Amino acid sequence: MGAGALLLAGTSAASAASQQTEPQPPAQVEAPVPEIAWQDCEGEGLAAFDCASVEVPTDYDEPNGETTTIAMTRLPATDPDQRIGSLFVNFGGPGGPGVANMHTLGGPFLDPQVHAQFDVIGVDPRGVGLSDPVTCFPDQASENAFAADRPVFPMNLSEQVETHAVFASIAAGCEMLSGDRIEHASTANVARDMDLLRQAVGDEQLSYLGYSYGSILGATYAALFPERIRALAIDGTLDPASWSGGDGSIGYRIGQGEAAAEVFEQFLAACAEAGPDSCALAAAGDPAEVVEQVFTRLKEQPVQIPLPDGTTAELGYDEMVATSFSALYSPLAWGDLAAAFAELAAPAQQMSTQRSGSDVDSIGDLLRHLGLIEDYSGIGAALASMCVDGEHPLTPWEYQAQADVADAEAPHFGRYRSWVGLQCEFVDFTDDDAYLGPWDQSTEAPVMVIGTRHDPATPYDQTQPYADRFTNASVLTVEGYGHTTLGISSCANSAIATYLVELEAVDGATCEQDIAPFEPLPESDIEASPLLLAPHPGWPGI
């Protein structure tokens, strides 16, 4: 190298060193910050809420280019003088709508201290709900009709062929009607949207509460914007490394099959302990033996269930496994699940319609503009992020062998959950801006991670490893059953409030649930059952 080159190199190095000593502002999304025009929400019972929609960049590589619509709702702080800022809440998914979920809850759902000091904001992530949803059929009725009488997961070669055909058709429909939306629907872009909305509400740092899949969104935001975090509360964790890569289907590698099988054993043991006076299934015999008899019978011959409108619906083994998985999400639903098994075990196999609690029961844009298809929230909303966020290393014909292995490891539920991801194998859904790791975090903000001991969807054994990815994280364990603590543990609700308001949490703390399985609900709580963050039983979602 010549002297001139050496001189230039030295000058550049000195200049770089000088620049490094200057304080740099924390990284954030650089795009036009939308103005939020909050208005009264339309609809009965929504007087407490404000609603709005904003435009954000479709592709953050072109921040001034085309935009996509993001729908939002908020519960304003009840004590504005003590207001800390906004709390963004994600209820899970992928594909879970924040707006509809908050409206379903109907009003304050967190500790009063949180609602006093935060505007609580629910957002429909891009591709979901009212935010330019990813759709795969012309309308909701067409999707429902297509899903009718399809196997939830296959049990033989004939059903395997049918399942492949079904999901190939779904994927083709998604690609045709919403391919342009899917290619920008990664969790990384949802995180970028959230950072832009953080700026729009005037917060220097993000306060966030994420449930279930919200753990992936939280981890992604932390990786992209580590210095923009004020508070990160994660309730129900999925391992982000398993989400974004690894062997097997996404449904297999995140461990839901084994977790659900373990919680189902807890359900059976709790029923036996409660006895026939509190658990209808116990009156039919040993619960573990009875359910295996029911599952075996349903494999051989589905039953017809009378519906209130006079029609009937077929219930087979696959539907009962999916229904059981969903019911395991809340211990408040275990009584209904037990009653359903008890009725199925009856020799007459006559199903009543009475239950003791809740019922168990692009080209796309052109077609939209012509009124030939409609936007609705369906399977596409979940498919979009799941398919573009991670690796899908199997071929469709490898799923059956994986399902057989999973069934041996976790009877019933392993087979069901191992088929999650098949939708992604037929079309190469990609988002160039997706974030796939690394997942070790650099934020110095205190983080709170909450795990329920017996959780069918976000395995408890992933709680501590998730927390260990952060330099300053505390773990709260809820000694109980079900998926996340929402509406189930007032102790956890209080601990989360203390953390969100004061940024203080006790590592290793424990909480109990308010109502034990098969314990009667207080009269005042019968109408206050929690939001059930479960997938639609007809589709193998997350």
Side-chain angles (χ1 to χ4, degrees):
M1 183 183 292
L6 284 171
L7 179 61
L8 288 173
T11 302
S12 298
S15 175
S18 173
Q19 292 176 359
Q20 290 174 359
T21 61
E22 298 177 2
Q24 299 296 316
Q28 65 178 10
V29 161
E30 295 185 4
V33 178
E35 293 186 8
I36 304 176
W38 294 109
Q39 299 177 341
D40 294 339
C41 297
E42 297 181 2
E44 186 177 352
L46 301 180
F49 295 91
D50 297 325
C51 287
S53 63
V54 298
E55 296 297 310
V56 302
T58 299
D59 184 350
Y60 280 96
D61 293 329
E62 301 178 7
N64 295 298
E66 295 183 357
T67 64
T68 190
T69 301
I70 301 296
M72 310 167 62
T73 192
R74 75 172 176 180
L75 280 169
T78 58
D79 187 354
D81 292 339
Q82 299 298 317
R83 181 181 176 276
I84 294 172
S86 295
L87 174 66
F88 286 84
V89 180
N90 180 280
F91 292 100
V99 173
N101 279 338
M102 274 187 59
H103 290 176
T104 298
L105 288 165
F109 58 95
L110 299 170
D111 188 275
Q113 188 178 16
V114 174
H115 287 290
Q117 297 187 248
F118 289 94
D119 294 340
V120 178
I121 295 179
V123 178
D124 284 356
R126 58 171 59 204
V128 175
L130 302 175
S131 295
D132 289 343
V134 171
T135 57
C136 308
F137 295 83
D139 49 50
Q140 183 73 69
S142 298
E143 180 173 312
N144 292 344
F146 187 85
D149 299 325
R150 308 286 185 180
V152 179
F153 59 92
M155 292 297 297
N156 53 47
L157 181 59
S158 174
E159 290 184 351
Q160 183 182 355
V161 172
E162 181 180 4
T163 299
H164 285 185
V166 166
F167 283 108
S169 297
I170 291 172
C174 296
E175 173 68 14
M176 182 181 72
L177 299 181
S178 300
D180 53 338
R181 295 181 177 184
I182 294 173
E183 69 181 7
H184 299 293
S186 64
T187 299
N189 275 335
V190 176
R192 295 180 179 105
D193 293 341
M194 189 161 63
D195 191 64
L196 196 60
L197 297 179
R198 171 194 61 76
Q199 298 175 55
V201 298
D203 288 355
E204 285 294 318
Q205 293 181 304
L206 178 77
S207 294
Y208 173 81
L209 172 59
Y211 298 96
S212 192
Y213 159 79
S215 64
I216 302 298
L217 176 56
T220 303
Y221 185 93
L224 295 177
F225 310 106
E227 296 178 46
R228 289 293 180 179
I229 294 173
R230 174 190 170 273
L232 198 71
I234 304 297
D235 189 350
T237 59
L238 291 168
D239 174 34
S242 297
W243 176 263
S244 60
D247 297 331
S249 71
I250 188 169
Y252 178 76
R253 63 186 188 239
I254 63 176
Q256 286 186 330
E258 292 188 49
E262 185 272 330
V263 178
F264 193 65
E265 291 181 359
Q266 295 290 325
F267 158 76
L268 297 172
C271 177
E273 183 177 352
D277 290 340
S278 299
C279 178
L281 178 58
D286 178 72
E289 294 180 3
V290 173
V291 298
E292 289 305 319
Q293 293 168 1
V294 169
F295 279 144
T296 299
R297 185 185 301 167
L298 291 176
K299 286 180 182 179
E300 298 170 352
Q301 183 61 55
V303 299
Q304 297 298 319
I305 305 172
L307 300 177
D309 62 2
T311 62
T312 62
E314 185 175 272
L315 180 72
Y317 170 76
D318 54 339
E319 288 95 356
M320 194 59 196
V321 171
T323 297
S324 299
F325 179 72
S326 295
L328 293 176
Y329 273 47
S330 171
L332 303 183
W334 287 18
D336 289 323
L337 179 62
F341 272 112
E343 292 187 59
L344 287 166
Q349 294 186 355
Q350 294 296 317
M351 295 292 291
S352 73
T353 59
Q354 300 300 314
R355 289 287 179 267
S356 59
S358 57
D359 287 339
V360 183
D361 303 323
S362 72
I363 185 171
D365 284 336
L366 174 62
L367 295 175
R368 288 183 185 89
H369 292 155
L370 294 176
L372 299 178
I373 64 174
E374 65 183 39
D375 280 334
Y376 65 94
S377 187
I379 186 177
L383 176 148
S385 291
M386 182 174 66
C387 290
V388 302
D389 270 357
E391 300 171 355
H392 305 282
L394 302 183
T395 66
W397 290 103
E398 291 177 302
Y399 272 69
Q400 184 62 53
Q402 175 190 254
D404 291 339
V405 171
D407 190 53
E409 295 172 344
H412 312 304
F413 301 98
R415 183 180 299 280
Y416 170 40
R417 303 315 290 166
S418 71
W419 286 94
V420 175
L422 178 67
Q423 310 95 313
C424 307
E425 307 293 356
F426 295 100
V427 176
D428 186 21
F429 296 116
T430 59
D431 180 346
D432 293 338
D433 294 319
Y435 182 82
L436 305 181
W439 293 107
D440 287 340
Q441 305 286 352
S442 62
T443 181
E444 297 180 0
V447 174
M448 183 179 191
V449 182
I450 305 100
T452 301
R453 180 73 67 179
H454 305 290
D455 185 327
T458 49
Y460 177 75
D461 63 9
Q462 296 181 20
T463 307
Q464 187 64 55
Y466 185 99
D468 289 342
R469 294 186 180 276
F470 293 87
T471 59
N472 182 15
S474 60
V475 170
L476 169 66
T477 297
V478 177
E479 299 292 353
Y481 312 89
H483 182 42
T484 78
T485 66
L486 184 59
I488 293 178
S489 174
S490 55
C491 169
N493 230 21
S494 177
I496 292 171
T498 298
Y499 164 73
L500 290 174
V501 172
E502 302 176 11
L503 298 179
E504 294 181 359
V506 178
D507 188 29
T510 61
C511 276
E512 300 293 330
Q513 292 180 334
D514 298 337
I515 304 293
F518 304 110
E519 184 176 301
L521 277 173
E523 194 69 28
S524 59
D525 291 342
I526 289 178
E527 298 298 326
S529 56
L531 185 69
L532 196 61
L533 304 175
H536 189 291
W539 299 103
I542 291 299

